[in-house]
Amino acid sequence: MADRPLTLMAVHAHPDDEATGTGGVLARYAAEGIRTVLVTCTDGGCGDGPAGSKPGDPRHDPAAVAAIRRKELQASCDVLKISDLETLDYADSGMMGWPSSDAPGAFWQTPVEEGAARLADLMRHYRPDVVVTYDENGFYGHPDHIQAHRITMAALEMTSLTPKVYWTTMPRSQMRRFGEIMREFHEDMPEPDPAEAAALAEIGLPDDEITTWVDTTAYSGQKFDSLAAHASQGENIFFLKMGQERFGELMGTETFVRVKDTTGAAVPENDLFAGLR
């Protein structure tokens, strides 16, 4: 590896996803001299348009939304000091069951082998030592997150180049804390119905099943600012409402499940590059 830098590749579904679950590690490892590569799979065209307009609203133009979000994505990358941004530019599928998820050209409708082949080409080019993406449920069931997981795992099989692979996750103790804080900020928020509450309770993992806890406290300001760069989606980014100091207290650790390792590094670990340096 003397002829190339250690490299982290994060594969995400939409503009702004890079900030939420991996903004801390992207900023931290960039500061440590590691090459950071972000692959964003969709154009984000199903995000909010002017005045918070949603897909299907006459004011919502997916192409215009995608153009705005592309600029915001670059601004976020600048904040996080990401070395290389690669965009696959598939059409945002929106949520499961939306008409957009069935549309030709939507990421959710793209054959996995097609997306995987494109991603595999990027892996061969960058030769990442660590790859991070979502779990098989896309963390919370979003079709584009699930598809990002599928093409990433398929691309890794095609290339067999990457020593360590991780899925983003969150400890359930922290998920409960998020619920408490959301109710603190939204006192009139109704309690979820039993089915919704049961589904929410399954998001994340029990604390003792998490393999990797990375301290990113020193970079929480960058993470907050990278989220803020996605200003057009501010209505949906709850974390911005709590302010930077509170955000740093709550979001100072990023957690992962290690699903591939060729280094023999012991778990639990506190560094995605344990065993590589």
Side-chain angles (χ1 to χ4, degrees), residues 12-104:
H12 282 291
H14 311 99
D16 78 25
D17 290 332
E18 80 287 343
T20 308
T22 58
V25 292
L26 287 165
R28 170 180 163 167
Y29 290 123
E32 293 178 4
I34 288 171
R35 186 177 198 175
T36 52
V37 180
L38 170 64
V39 181
T40 301
C41 296
T42 80
D43 62 8
C46 285
D48 283 359
S53 58
K54 311 296 183 185
D57 186 307
R59 297 170 298 172
H60 188 279
D61 177 355
V65 171
I68 292 168
R69 299 195 73 186
R70 179 64 177 80
K71 292 178 181 177
E72 293 175 340
L73 177 61
Q74 184 59 61
S76 171
C77 289
D78 292 344
V79 168
L80 298 174
K81 309 299 183 187
I82 289 171
S83 309
D84 300 271
L85 170 62
E86 299 283 354
T87 54
L88 300 184
D89 285 327
Y90 289 108
D92 189 343
S93 308
M95 299 301 290
M96 201 74 81
W98 287 11
S100 53
S101 68
D102 295 323

Side-chain angles (χ1 to χ4, degrees), residues 19-258:
T20 308
T22 58
V25 292
L26 287 165
R28 170 180 163 167
Y29 290 123
E32 293 178 4
I34 288 171
R35 186 177 198 175
T36 52
V37 180
L38 170 64
V39 181
T40 301
C41 296
T42 80
D43 62 8
C46 285
D48 283 359
S53 58
K54 311 296 183 185
D57 186 307
R59 297 170 298 172
H60 188 279
D61 177 355
V65 171
I68 292 168
R69 299 195 73 186
R70 179 64 177 80
K71 292 178 181 177
E72 293 175 340
L73 177 61
Q74 184 59 61
S76 171
C77 289
D78 292 344
V79 168
L80 298 174
K81 309 299 183 187
I82 289 171
S83 309
D84 300 271
L85 170 62
E86 299 283 354
T87 54
L88 300 184
D89 285 327
Y90 289 108
D92 189 343
S93 308
M95 299 301 290
M96 201 74 81
W98 287 11
S100 53
S101 68
D102 295 323
F107 188 40
W108 183 237
Q109 296 301 320
T110 300
V112 169
E113 58 270 22
E114 176 192 319
R118 294 181 63 194
L119 183 56
D121 284 343
L122 293 175
M123 290 179 176
R124 294 185 189 102
H125 175 72
Y126 289 107
R127 298 183 67 85
D129 302 282
V130 174
V131 168
V132 175
T133 191
Y134 315 102
D135 63 19
E136 63 269 30
N137 190 46
F139 185 60
Y140 69 99
H142 193 296
D144 287 332
H145 290 226
I146 294 170
Q147 189 77 329
H149 163 85
R150 290 174 177 173
I151 73 163
T152 302
M153 301 312 292
L156 287 163
E157 286 190 16
M158 291 176 181
T159 56
S160 300
L161 294 170
T162 302
K164 303 187 81 176
V165 179
Y166 294 87
W167 296 342
T168 58
T169 191
M170 193 168 289
R172 292 205 176 132
S173 60
Q174 191 172 14
M175 290 298 298
R176 288 192 292 273
R177 180 67 180 132
F178 282 151
E180 294 168 0
I181 291 173
M182 287 183 73
R183 282 188 287 275
E184 176 185 330
F185 277 83
H186 302 281
E187 295 180 357
D188 57 347
M189 187 173 72
E191 290 291 330
D193 63 45
E196 184 181 350
L200 289 172
E202 293 300 311
I203 294 177
L205 287 174
D207 292 34
D208 60 2
E209 292 183 22
I210 291 171
T211 63
T212 311
W213 305 68
V214 183
D215 182 2
T216 60
T217 305
Y219 306 94
S220 58
Q222 281 176 263
K223 181 172 178 173
F224 184 90
D225 289 345
S226 72
L227 274 169
H230 296 281
S232 68
Q233 308 305 303
E235 178 184 327
N236 298 319
I237 303 176
F238 161 75
F239 303 112
L240 295 176
K241 296 179 173 65
M242 64 179 68
Q244 187 165 323
E245 183 175 350
R246 189 79 177 275
F247 177 88
E249 294 171 1
L250 188 65
M251 303 291 284
T253 300
E254 292 182 351
T255 50
F256 306 86
V257 173
R258 194 174 80 189

